[in-house]
Amino acid sequence: MKRWGLKNSETEKSIISPDGQIKFELDIKNHQIFYHIFKKDQEIVKNSKLDLDIADYKKTNLKLISFRSFRHDETVEMLWGEDQFIDNTYVEGEFVFEKFTIRVRAFNDAVAFKYELTGDENVTIKNELTEFNVDLDSTCWQIPAYRPDRYEYNYEAAKVYDLKESVHTPLTIRIPSGIYLSVHEAALYDYGSTTIKLDENNILSTDVTPLSDGAKAYVTLPWNTPWRLIMIADSAIDLTKNRVMYVLNEPPKEDFSWVKTLKFIGIWWAMYVGEWTWAPGERHGATTAHAKEYINAAVELGIKGVLIEGWNDGWEGNWLENGVNNKFTTSTPDFNLEEVASYAKAKNIELVGHHETVGFVDNYENQIEDAYNYYAANGVHYIKTGYAGSMITINGKKEYHHSQAGVNHYQKTVELAAKKQIMLDIHEPIKGTGIERTWPNLLTREGARGQEYEGGALRPSHPCYLPYTRLLAGGMDYTNGIFDIENSVKRISTTLARQVAYFVTIYSGMTMAADRPFIYKEKFPELFEFVKVVPTNFEKTVPICGEVGDFYVVARKDRDSKDWYLGGVTDQDGRSVKVKLDFLDAGMYRAYMYIDGKDAHFRDNPYSIEISKKRVKKSDILDIYMAPGGGFAIRLEKI
Ligand code: NOJ
Ligand code: CA
């Protein structure tokens, strides 16, 4: 509902959130625009510049031509996700200047703003100078930008004054007063994605990922930047409730009712533990015979999908270097897509196809239309894509994945997939900025260090950072559920119970149960029961407790039943948590509990687990132990 013309009680240049707690103030001094953000009476973002440096774009004198504000009240319904309904209530301010508008929205838990450029010419964005002037003594949790492994790093705590090098968003910050902020962006299209660092004046500032020639973007007007988004909360756990990123994106323009979330197993971890290979040969994983075995296993395990990696021509030799020759419509002699696809169809199993581009985007774009048609013709409705490699090659040039060229390529894949009714799981992606509200066929991404790094490069604390950082940007394919903890090639750094906890603590519209099926069927059938029933689409998410990098406990209600699911993870320190079940409805529930044994430890006793059942109700409080590197999962079935 739009109600134009509402005036704020304060000056015309500020807007105040619907609950009156958050204020955005715009200031023009010495031909420069600045903003400030206040929470109650505290200035949480101080005098910060708003500016774009545009080549050949004459800046007129900076006079505010008009300002108006209005309140918008709406509840947005999502097709799938962590929450079916998202509150989209805000006060919007529109600051109109001669050649551009600054549009601002003040929510109860965030502020967002963007630059909208008018005109019809082609311009070069040389730089964006938006600042986020927070106290330098604030603590933040960050991963570095512009590194070869893209977003796949361990999170580290730092002080804001340490951010001399660019870091990725969402950048979560605790300012000295204890308020939590997360600086991110929403609706990223046709522009480089933002990284953040201190500028020459020691102010936290945007560093938009450049193209190979140094420009930030070449655009045709009218054009706008993504929303610059600052999420605001009183505690770390409250920050994880923030869904403003999604509602800053447009509703879908087409019918996406064909989109369905999916749980899948796959010809995958067997390659990581050295049993099979991607490349053809004696131990080739993606053979017709193995694919049929996995399809049969999925039926037995009650899982709907099967991923097949390494089916296509191009994996021979050093696949990271040779990937420039990958073919996406021809398979190795021992794999027959038509045969596998009709076998899967007869068993009612969805195949998850695979396109590893190795970052050779030109090679992929040359084949993409045919490649999607090939899958579509064989009834393959899901594709996992990958962009391994430190840079991508577009128009013969090496570009950053998260440059404007990269952003536009990934967008092309999402839109083409939508046309063919194909759903995507993108690895080495562009970070999430909520575009899955508009393009719900983009079911998930990787975009952080996942379990492929197990075997030495994953810390037990890593998944305790994700909910407060990376997962604020949307779901993640973490490749959960590796039960073969003591594998000699890839030793896992968690307890067994933690591996089921991930199905609740790490949301993903496409969720992989990543271990080999014989591990599930022969070794841990009872534990796999949880994996089988845990939903991939929730009606409601209720974060319970946690601290960044230490622990996280969350409850989620299934969208298709009255059941709830609880999950928790802890770092290298064991701890007990008390969980009030007050989120439940009235009546009795049967709790199926998968909890670390009292003597469990990720290092020397990872398999110790207590599996039990009991009846619980709303007024109960559960006292749950999580071992070092551990976690828990509980299904609460309504009786
Ligand atoms: C990196 C992806 O994250 C991983 O899941 C995949 O198996 C490899 N690339 C090979 O495509
Ligand atoms: Ca990866």
Side-chain angles (χ1 to χ4, degrees):
M1 181 183 71
K2 287 192 176 182
R3 280 185 277 148
W4 287 98
L6 277 191
K7 287 275 190 307
N8 287 292
S9 54
E10 305 225 7
T11 93
E12 281 205 336
K13 292 193 203 124
S14 66
I15 57 165
I16 295 172
S17 61
D19 67 357
Q21 307 278 300
I22 288 175
K23 183 170 80 171
F24 173 98
E25 211 174 75
L26 190 116
D27 226 2
I28 304 169
K29 294 182 283 220
N30 306 326
H31 306 288
Q32 176 64 58
I33 310 174
F34 294 90
Y35 74 95
H36 311 244
I37 299 175
F38 298 83
K39 183 167 160 84
K40 296 188 185 148
D41 288 328
Q42 198 189 130
E43 191 175 12
I44 56 178
V45 180
K46 300 188 188 114
N47 202 46
S48 298
K49 228 188 251 174
L50 289 174
D51 203 1
L52 291 172
D53 180 2
I54 305 167
D56 305 324
Y57 189 76
K58 253 186 256 131
K59 271 205 193 135
T60 47
N61 67 343
L62 266 185
K63 203 170 146 321
L64 184 61
I65 294 172
S66 68
F67 168 71
R68 56 180 178 170
S69 77
F70 66 92
R71 181 180 159 134
H72 177 93
D73 287 278
E74 186 192 14
T75 300
V76 163
E77 182 168 6
M78 301 288 285
L79 206 56
W80 54 265
E82 295 174 87
D83 286 290
Q84 184 170 3
F85 298 103
I86 303 179
D87 179 33
N88 188 24
T89 303
Y90 56 79
V91 174
E92 177 164 319
E94 187 188 59
F95 301 84
V96 180
F97 295 85
E98 200 161 325
K99 294 174 95 172
F100 64 95
T101 292
I102 295 175
R103 189 170 305 282
V104 186
R105 289 183 185 167
F107 297 81
N108 292 341
D109 56 354
V111 168
F113 54 85
K114 63 174 171 178
Y115 305 84
E116 297 173 348
L117 307 187
T118 52
D120 56 8
E121 63 262 49
N122 295 327
V123 295
T124 306
I125 312 291
K126 286 167 63 186
N127 210 356
E128 178 174 335
L129 306 160
T130 307
E131 293 175 341
F132 305 96
N133 187 1
V134 298
D135 196 313
L136 290 179
D137 207 27
S138 305
T139 300
C140 63
W141 296 274
Q142 49 81 31
I143 51 169
Y146 305 117
R147 297 282 174 89
D149 287 327
R150 308 151 305 262
Y151 301 103
E152 299 175 359
Y153 288 90
N154 283 314
Y155 282 86
E156 304 281 356
K159 288 290 188 179
V160 165
Y161 56 65
D162 287 328
L163 300 183
K164 308 265 189 286
E165 307 270 325
S166 297
V167 297
H168 283 299
T169 77
L171 176 65
T172 296
I173 301 170
R174 186 182 60 224
I175 63 175
S177 68
I179 290 175
Y180 285 76
L181 310 177
S182 194
V183 180
H184 190 40
E185 58 186 324
L188 168 61
Y189 293 100
D190 199 21
Y191 198 34
S193 58
T194 282
T195 71
I196 301 228
K197 70 169 182 189
L198 292 177
D199 64 14
E200 60 282 2
N201 302 318
N202 250 1
I203 295 175
L204 208 55
S205 190
T206 45
D207 171 22
V208 173
T209 306
L211 291 160
S212 50
D213 64 4
K216 302 294 189 181
Y218 295 99
V219 302
T220 302
L221 305 185
W223 171 89
N224 57 266
T225 65
W227 290 96
R228 275 55 190 100
L229 167 62
I230 301 161
M231 303 173 235
I232 305 166
D234 287 328
S235 65
I237 194 72
D238 278 355
L239 191 63
T240 68
K241 291 181 188 157
N242 202 294
R243 304 281 182 259
V244 168
M245 177 185 75
Y246 294 107
V247 294
L248 289 168
N249 280 269
E250 298 294 317
K253 292 187 181 61
E254 301 151 29
D255 171 35
F256 281 94
S257 55
W258 49 271
V259 168
K260 299 274 175 291
T261 61
L262 182 76
K263 208 182 299 156
F264 60 104
I265 58 170
I267 297 184
W268 188 73
W269 195 242
M271 276 86 97
Y272 281 86
V273 295
E275 288 165 3
W276 290 349
T277 59
W278 279 278
E282 253 174 41
R283 287 183 296 120
H284 187 209
T287 65
T288 300
H290 288 157
K292 288 183 178 174
E293 261 171 47
Y294 268 53
I295 290 166
N296 292 340
V299 173
E300 277 176 60
L301 290 166
I303 295 290
K304 198 87 199 50
V306 172
L307 163 74
I308 302 168
E309 290 203 8
W311 65 277
N312 58 317
D313 282 327
W315 291 88
E316 292 87 352
N318 180 343
W319 62 266
L320 278 172
E321 277 168 22
N322 301 341
V324 67
N325 299 318
N326 279 1
K327 304 276 183 296
F328 300 104
T329 52
T330 58
S331 58
T332 54
D334 52 359
F335 183 80
N336 184 325
L337 180 65
E338 289 75 12
E339 190 179 332
V340 171
S342 68
Y343 192 80
K345 190 163 182 224
K347 304 259 171 177
N348 203 16
I349 292 294
E350 294 282 355
L351 290 185
V352 180
H354 186 231
H355 288 162
E356 176 52 74
T357 70
V358 203
F360 294 103
V361 169
D362 288 336
N363 177 51
Y364 189 41
E365 288 209 0
N366 285 338
Q367 304 176 57
I368 193 167
E369 184 92 35
D370 292 341
Y372 285 21
N373 284 340
Y374 182 47
Y375 271 146
N378 281 289
V380 177
H381 305 118
Y382 296 85
I383 305 179
K384 172 179 170 181
T385 59
Y387 296 79
S390 57
M391 302 289 276
I392 55 181
T393 314
I394 300 187
N395 293 328
K397 294 186 202 130
K398 295 267 175 224
E399 304 283 359
Y400 287 112
H401 289 65
H402 43 291
S403 63
Q404 182 195 25
V407 168
N408 287 347
H409 162 71
Y410 286 89
Q411 186 58 27
K412 198 186 275 182
T413 69
V414 173
E415 294 185 21
L416 183 65
K419 247 199 239 163
K420 317 269 174 203
Q421 302 210 343
I422 286 173
M423 294 157 271
L424 294 179
D425 169 1
I426 306 182
H427 279 230
E428 298 79 39
I430 301 293
K431 68 184 169 188
T433 61
I435 65 163
E436 47 274 54
R437 177 173 180 214
T438 316
W439 301 99
N441 64 310
L442 172 46
L443 278 175
T444 194
R445 300 179 170 81
E446 187 190 36
R449 188 167 281 211
Q451 292 225 86
E452 63 186 358
Y453 282 82
E454 280 291 9
L458 262 193
R459 301 175 184 158
S461 59
H462 182 63
C464 305
Y465 286 97
L466 295 175
Y468 309 97
T469 54
R470 160 66 182 80
L471 299 178
L472 295 174
M476 175 181 178
D477 181 11
Y478 192 68
T479 60
N480 309 326
I482 295 176
F483 292 176
D484 185 12
I485 307 275
E486 291 189 325
N487 186 280
S488 58
V489 178
K490 284 271 201 190
R491 172 61 159 86
I492 305 296
S493 65
T494 75
T495 64
L496 184 59
R498 160 86 83 95
Q499 288 293 324
V500 277
Y502 287 152
F503 288 91
V504 186
T505 64
I506 302 177
Y507 178 72
S508 187
M510 279 173 76
T511 303
M512 187 173 197
D515 215 331
R516 292 94 78 214
F518 75 86
I519 295 283
Y520 298 142
K521 284 193 298 179
E522 289 159 28
K523 303 217 163 144
F524 302 102
E526 202 186 353
L527 191 57
F528 196 79
E529 271 308 301
F530 184 86
V531 179
K532 181 172 127 188
V533 297
V534 67
T536 49
N537 193 10
F538 294 97
E539 179 189 315
K540 213 191 302 184
T541 288
V542 181
I544 307 282
C545 56
E547 290 296 344
V548 185
D550 297 341
F551 70 112
Y552 173 64
V553 177
V554 65
R556 304 189 197 265
K557 167 145 192 310
D558 182 15
R559 204 175 282 198
D560 301 317
S561 74
K562 293 182 170 160
D563 302 348
W564 282 80
Y565 291 79
L566 249 179
V569 289
T570 182
D571 60 5
Q572 62 288 341
D573 298 324
R575 69 187 82 225
S576 291
V577 286
K578 285 201 173 10
V579 180
K580 278 195 203 158
L581 299 183
D582 54 1
F583 51 83
L584 293 176
D585 293 320
M588 294 306 292
Y589 289 77
R590 189 173 295 110
Y592 301 80
M593 325 231 309
Y594 306 83
I595 312 250
D596 286 325
K598 290 278 170 289
D599 57 351
H601 194 292
F602 72 98
R603 217 174 281 125
D604 44 37
N605 198 13
Y607 291 114
S608 170
I609 188 169
E610 287 171 12
I611 301 181
S612 62
K613 264 187 239 166
K614 70 176 185 190
R615 285 160 72 95
V616 297
K617 56 184 180 318
K618 197 179 170 60
S619 55
D620 289 343
I621 299 176
L622 297 179
D623 200 346
I624 303 164
Y625 174 66
M626 295 188 276
F632 70 92
I634 300 176
R635 174 184 182 204
L636 296 153
E637 182 191 25
K638 186 96 210 275
I639 303 177

